[in-house]
Amino acid sequence: MYDLIVVGGGAAGFFGAIHVAEQRPDLKVAILEQGNKVLSKVRISGGGRCNVTHAEFNPAELVKAYPRGEKELRGPFHVFQPSDTVAFFEARGVPLKVEEDGRMFPESDSSQSIIDCFMDSVNTLGIHLIKNALVVEIIPVESPVHGKIWEVKTKSDSFHCNHLLLATGSSQKMWNLLKVLGHRIIDPVPSLFTFHITDTRIEGIQGVSTNARVELVSRELPGKKLSGAIRTSSKRSAGLTSEGPLLITHWGMSGPAILKLSAWGARILNEYNYRFRIRVNWTPDYHQEGMYAFLVEVKEVEARRTVFRTCPLEIPKRLWRKLVLAAGITPDQKWAEVQKKQLQQLAAQLTSTEFLVEGKSPFKEEFVTAGGLDLREINFKTFESKLHERLYFAGEILNIDAITGGYNFQNAWTGAYLAARAITGSEN
């Protein structure tokens, strides 16, 4: 008989178990992991460096990184936020550092530092780590001694506990078990994915990265008018615009600007079956008319030089040359020879290039879904189920997900901490 069983040997599960065991050393705690390895996602996060959290310490701003969960996490982040995460790891000998974009990593630049920290804590605190324990059934039972308890069945064993913390991430099997318990599951769809695009304007320049603004246009093919139904969808997603570094790849586009758009648009892009149009502004400080006026000035100053080799903007030269050609300007054409229509076309290519997206690929460093346990069924002061006492949740098992940058881990830390605090009775 355990005081707490944590199902899921990942970030949220370890964090919750460690906090419970530290606050109440008298409690018997176990972690059940379905496979033979734990903390797998921690190991690969951030390219093996582990993007632990993000250096945003204002909860009101922090929640803006969560397409699902923004409203619900505001209160929890006032209790446990990135500064608390930093303090947790530094107290255990794992100092963190902040990179220019706000992402926070261990100073060692190795996820092994986080894994070692967790494993050392689990061993020191006497937490039972049970691997190869795939949970197949969760049953609330009445005990004559303990009252309502939980029976957790695996393929080969049966465990009992007073409190149950589920931290299994995006697990369809666990969601199915929760449906049996009466919980509602929001069907999962992919979030944080890159775009498949085949287009001569980006062909052969993989590796080019630049700051850009990306906007969802529609799901229709180029040149077709929007139907009434799609126009309604477009209005619904009027804010579906993202700005940041955009990376051109062998298969299309990636980088923070694309990943953020995929996260905020996860459901509508799923409805579009991942075939839609985007508009890219490669020079976010300009609109099309302003760019045209600027190019007219450049034409006067650089009259004798070729357009192809004279890039007056802070964008990669390889990208500039592709857009020049797309505007119908030849490689040997001088600025003085460029016609008004060609300048207008170049301004359009620079500020409002449209691309057809024909599919997606998961972002290799983070595997995130939009969907999971309905947030209306959770008490966000404790992360306890509103349907069942002593049943808690943390991490991506909930219908919470974030853009890339350490935010998904912060959700895991915060939820696990609040659940642990409620389990140990140390809320005050």
Side-chain angles (χ1 to χ4, degrees):
M1 177 73 180
Y2 287 95
D3 295 289
L4 168 67
I5 286 179
V6 177
V7 181
F14 269 73
F15 207 71
I18 289 168
H19 275 286
V20 168
E22 284 185 339
Q23 293 167 21
R24 289 286 302 276
D26 58 308
L27 298 184
K28 189 177 179 182
V29 179
I31 299 173
L32 304 184
E33 165 56 38
Q34 67 172 356
N36 59 5
K37 294 182 180 179
V38 295
L39 301 167
S40 300
K41 196 167 183 179
V42 170
R43 185 177 299 279
I44 65 173
S45 164
R49 295 193 299 147
C50 190
N51 186 183
V52 177
T53 186
H54 201 92
E56 176 52 74
F57 306 110
N58 178 355
E61 292 299 316
L62 183 61
V63 295
K64 293 179 181 178
Y66 296 83
R68 270 70 50 183
E70 178 177 354
K71 177 182 69 174
E72 292 81 2
L73 288 175
R74 186 179 293 265
F77 282 155
H78 276 91
V79 179
F80 194 94
Q81 56 133 301
S83 62
D84 300 297
T85 301
V86 173
F88 172 87
F89 285 108
E90 288 193 344
R92 290 157 181 79
V94 185
L96 305 183
K97 63 177 180 178
V98 184
E99 301 206 335
E100 284 187 14
D101 59 4
R103 293 182 301 164
M104 300 193 73
F105 295 87
E107 286 186 357
S108 65
D109 272 331
S110 173
S111 58
Q112 193 61 45
S113 298
I114 305 299
I115 294 171
D116 290 344
C117 171
F118 283 154
M119 293 305 298
D120 289 346
S121 295
V122 164
N123 293 331
T124 300
L125 295 166
I127 296 170
H128 295 180
L129 179 56
I130 305 170
K131 300 178 183 179
N132 298 310
L134 175 64
V135 173
V136 295
E137 195 172 5
I138 296 173
I139 308 168
V141 297
E142 286 293 331
S143 165
V145 178
H146 303 282
K148 181 179 178 179
I149 62 172
W150 292 98
E151 181 178 4
V152 181
K153 289 186 175 182
T154 67
K155 284 188 173 182
S156 57
D157 293 292
S158 181
F159 303 89
H160 294 84
C161 59
N162 285 317
H163 300 87
L164 181 60
L165 171 59
L166 301 182
T168 50
S170 302
S171 167
Q172 188 62 58
K173 291 179 180 178
M174 183 54 66
W175 286 330
N176 289 339
L177 295 183
L178 288 174
K179 287 180 182 178
V180 175
L181 293 174
H183 272 291
R184 180 171 181 261
I185 304 301
I186 307 301
D187 289 338
V189 298
S191 181
L192 290 182
F193 49 84
T194 61
F195 293 174
H196 282 181
I197 299 171
T198 303
D199 194 293
T200 56
R201 290 168 295 185
I202 60 172
E203 186 180 349
I205 59 171
Q206 57 270 11
V208 165
S209 178
T210 188
N211 197 65
R213 183 182 300 124
V214 187
E215 175 188 1
L216 175 66
V217 180
S218 79
R219 65 180 172 189
E220 287 294 316
L221 297 177
K224 289 191 176 182
K225 293 183 179 180
L226 298 181
S227 69
I230 295 173
R231 189 178 295 116
T232 301
S233 296
S234 296
K235 286 183 178 179
R236 192 175 72 229
S237 60
L240 209 53
T241 301
S242 172
E243 185 173 332
L246 186 155
L247 174 66
I248 296 172
T249 68
H250 287 280
W251 57 87
M253 294 181 185
S254 184
I258 297 297
L259 295 170
K260 283 191 286 186
L261 193 72
S262 76
W264 287 99
R267 293 217 164 268
I268 191 170
L269 298 184
N270 179 258
E271 291 174 15
Y272 287 179
N273 199 27
Y274 306 104
R275 186 176 173 83
F276 53 92
R277 284 190 293 149
I278 57 172
R279 182 180 295 123
V280 179
N281 185 340
W282 303 103
T283 56
D285 291 337
Y286 289 88
H287 51 69
Q288 190 168 334
E289 293 78 8
M291 177 58 71
Y292 173 73
F294 172 72
L295 293 176
V296 170
E297 293 180 6
V298 174
K299 178 179 177 179
E300 294 295 323
V301 175
E302 304 286 1
R304 295 184 178 182
R305 304 182 69 179
T306 61
V307 181
F308 192 74
R309 297 185 180 279
T310 310
C311 178
L313 297 160
E314 292 186 4
I315 63 172
K317 288 182 180 179
R318 288 196 293 163
L319 174 62
W320 165 261
R321 291 172 180 176
K322 283 285 188 178
L323 299 178
V324 167
L325 295 176
I329 299 171
T330 61
D332 59 350
Q333 197 168 356
K334 293 181 172 61
W335 280 97
E337 301 166 349
V338 177
Q339 302 299 310
K340 178 181 178 180
K341 186 174 182 180
Q342 289 176 311
L343 276 188
Q344 290 173 333
Q345 282 292 326
L346 182 55
Q349 291 293 336
L350 288 163
T351 59
S352 56
T353 321
E354 289 195 9
F355 294 95
L356 174 64
V357 178
E358 300 178 281
K360 61 170 177 58
S361 287
F363 183 49
K364 292 180 180 179
E365 291 187 2
E366 298 200 35
F367 302 92
V368 177
T369 58
L373 188 59
D374 193 330
L375 303 186
R376 293 172 294 182
E377 300 176 353
I378 305 299
N379 175 354
F380 278 93
K381 291 182 178 179
T382 60
F383 281 73
E384 185 178 16
S385 166
K386 290 181 180 179
L387 278 60
H388 299 278
E389 292 181 4
R390 301 182 185 179
L391 176 61
Y392 301 84
F393 306 94
E396 291 175 35
I397 189 172
L398 301 167
N399 183 26
I400 294 176
D401 64 283
I403 61 176
T404 183
Y407 299 105
N408 284 298
F409 272 138
Q410 186 57 52
N411 167 49
W413 313 137
T414 296
Y417 174 82
L418 265 71
R421 201 173 66 149
I423 290 166
T424 58
S426 55
E427 293 100 327
N428 301 319

